[in-house]
Amino acid sequence: MTASRRSFVWLLLLSGLIISLCMGLRQSLGLFMRPMTLELGISAAAFGFSIALQNIVWGLSQPFVGALADRYGARPVLVITALMYAAGLLLMIHAAAVPGGLHIAGFLAGIGTAGTGFGILIGIVSRATPPEKRSQTVGMVAAAGSLGTLVLAPVGQWMINGFGWHVALTVFAAVAASMALLSLPIKDPAPPAQDPGAKQDLGSALREAMSHRGYLLMTLAFFACGFQLVFITTHLPAYLQLCGVAPGVGATALALIGLFNTAGTYAFGLLGARYSQKHLLALIYLLRTLIIVIFVAAPVTAESTLVFAAAMGFLWLGVAPLITGIIGRVFGLAHFNTLYGIVFLSHQVGSFFGAWMGGLVYDRAGNYNFAWGALIVIGVSAFLLQWLMDERPPRERAGSPVAVPA
């Protein structure tokens, strides 16, 4: 194996591991809602708002974190944000003693997730991969990133049951800090010389993207992705307990999401190399919504929950190689982290409202019926928006003939 090949393999392994830990921590935080609300006396809405704040801060900071990585390199951004993630999780333990502690923790964890999640690392992997292999490679890394939930969700539930949620959160914080060490060997490759955005400054790239109708439609549709998925990771354990399902099933469901997500993300990476990425993305939104309809319409049991988790897991992060593939193909990779960050901001606005809305609905109605209905309506809307996207690069759109009225 040549030195360049060995370096590329290490990049894929480290990127997949960091994303795996980041996403596993994030998607397991819903396990702490019930023990923290019972012991600290906080409401479900307050906990949901903290998770919502984490997600909106993640989204708001993603373009800026991405721009810093584009300019100064990924390694320092990864290290600093990993340590902020760990600090946020530690602060959750002392949320009752620190005024606004739960919200400050959400703020820190949000910035931490922006740095150690998909945006920056997928940008690095994309730059290091030839265009013809980019979709498959991104799908493989994103699939590896799904394994964290498979491990951390059941381990987190086991620690909560056996040692208490304080110990579990401390271990989660140590896991977050370990991402800083894993980031040290990572080197950020330069974009290809023929990259369409290589000669653009950041301002020109942003103006070009914001005038692209397809980019705007994709950004708007991505709202639904965050809205649906963060509602599920935050409120599914509590919803299952309302339905009389044993608490351990919620943790098992989150782990199943991670397991099937691995296969689904890799599969959509392969499909994205052969078929229309925008149509595959639209179909993910539609299929998720249909699965939600079936789940809430049927009696909720342990068995139906696990089937639901497996089906949703297969579609969970399949969007990652498709959206990154569209952005890289349409706009190039020179300003990828920034442009991806803007799209992801929409996802995180959806995440904010998905987490917060779920807590508000539960506190006021004592159930989640209205919340599930909102997930269905928004999912159908996202399918229509994404299906209609114009994914031609700006220069092709500018060169298209304009019809002249007779």
Side-chain angles (χ1 to χ4, degrees):
M1 184 183 293
T2 64
S4 60
R5 179 66 179 174
R6 189 181 304 113
S7 177
F8 179 68
V9 171
W10 271 111
L11 172 63
L12 297 184
L13 290 174
L14 289 172
S15 298
L17 181 56
I18 293 170
I19 294 173
S20 179
L21 294 175
C22 174
M23 294 297 106
L25 292 170
R26 168 184 171 261
Q27 293 176 7
S28 300
L29 291 180
L31 299 173
F32 294 90
M33 182 169 75
R34 187 164 182 81
M36 287 184 68
T37 54
L38 289 175
E39 181 173 327
L40 301 181
I42 59 176
S43 66
F47 185 91
F49 183 80
S50 176
I51 301 297
L53 182 63
Q54 174 187 338
N55 283 285
I56 196 64
V57 169
W58 178 9
L60 288 170
S61 62
Q62 187 73 66
F64 300 100
V65 170
L68 288 172
D70 284 336
R71 179 161 186 175
Y72 299 107
R75 183 189 300 161
V77 176
L78 287 167
V79 171
I80 292 170
T81 52
L83 295 176
M84 292 180 72
Y85 201 153
L89 294 178
L90 284 175
L91 186 56
M92 286 181 68
I93 301 173
H94 307 287
V98 179
L102 198 60
H103 299 155
I104 297 172
F107 179 85
L108 292 172
I111 297 178
T113 310
T116 57
F118 284 97
I120 291 176
L121 289 165
I122 291 300
I124 297 173
V125 171
S126 296
R127 288 190 181 109
T129 309
E132 65 275 11
K133 296 182 179 179
R134 193 168 291 150
S135 180
Q136 304 96 306
T137 305
V138 170
M140 180 174 62
V141 172
S146 309
L147 296 174
T149 307
L150 177 63
V151 175
L152 288 175
V155 168
Q157 186 67 64
W158 172 74
M159 287 190 295
I160 290 171
N161 292 340
F163 305 98
W165 64 270
H166 300 81
V167 172
L169 264 180
T170 302
V171 173
F172 273 28
V175 171
S178 73
M179 295 188 291
L181 296 176
L182 295 171
S183 302
L184 294 177
I186 290 180
K187 298 179 181 179
D188 194 358
Q194 70 275 19
D195 187 80
K199 297 181 179 180
Q200 281 185 314
D201 58 32
L202 179 57
S204 298
L206 288 173
R207 285 191 294 272
E208 185 176 71
M210 299 311 293
S211 64
H212 192 288
R213 180 173 176 269
Y215 178 81
L216 297 178
L217 286 179
M218 181 177 69
T219 301
L220 187 58
F222 210 25
F223 175 96
C225 182
F227 190 90
Q228 290 180 329
L229 300 192
V230 173
F231 170 84
I232 291 171
T233 56
T234 305
H235 296 285
L236 181 63
Y239 175 71
L240 294 177
Q241 292 188 45
L242 284 177
C243 297
V245 179
V249 175
T252 305
L254 294 179
L256 269 182
I257 287 173
L259 176 63
F260 280 83
N261 185 19
T262 302
T265 304
Y266 183 64
F268 280 105
L270 294 175
L271 291 171
R274 300 186 60 184
Y275 302 106
S276 167
Q277 292 174 334
K278 75 165 189 176
H279 289 152
L280 289 170
L281 193 54
L283 288 174
I284 287 177
Y285 296 147
L286 180 62
L287 290 173
R288 281 180 185 166
T289 304
L290 292 175
I291 291 167
I292 289 171
V293 170
I294 295 170
F295 176 64
V296 298
V300 177
T301 64
E303 292 76 16
S304 70
T305 299
L306 298 181
V307 172
F308 169 74
M312 288 296 292
F314 190 80
L315 303 169
W316 201 260
L317 289 180
V319 299
L322 302 177
I323 285 184
T324 57
I326 291 172
I327 294 174
R329 177 165 42 81
V330 175
F331 299 105
L333 298 171
H335 302 288
F336 174 89
N337 289 334
T338 307
L339 296 180
Y340 175 83
I342 293 171
V343 177
F344 196 71
L345 172 58
S346 175
H347 181 283
Q348 293 311 102
V349 173
S351 299
F352 174 87
F353 285 107
W356 190 25
M357 179 271 307
L360 288 175
V361 168
Y362 175 72
D363 281 345
R364 296 189 178 188
N367 60 58
Y368 287 103
N369 295 342
F370 177 85
W372 288 112
L375 263 64
I376 294 167
V377 172
I378 289 175
V380 172
S381 301
F383 162 72
L384 295 173
L385 289 171
Q386 187 59 53
W387 191 269
L388 297 173
M389 176 192 179
D390 181 355
E391 59 180 342
R392 291 174 296 169
R395 291 159 188 80
E396 289 184 18
R397 294 172 69 243
S400 299
V402 179
V404 179

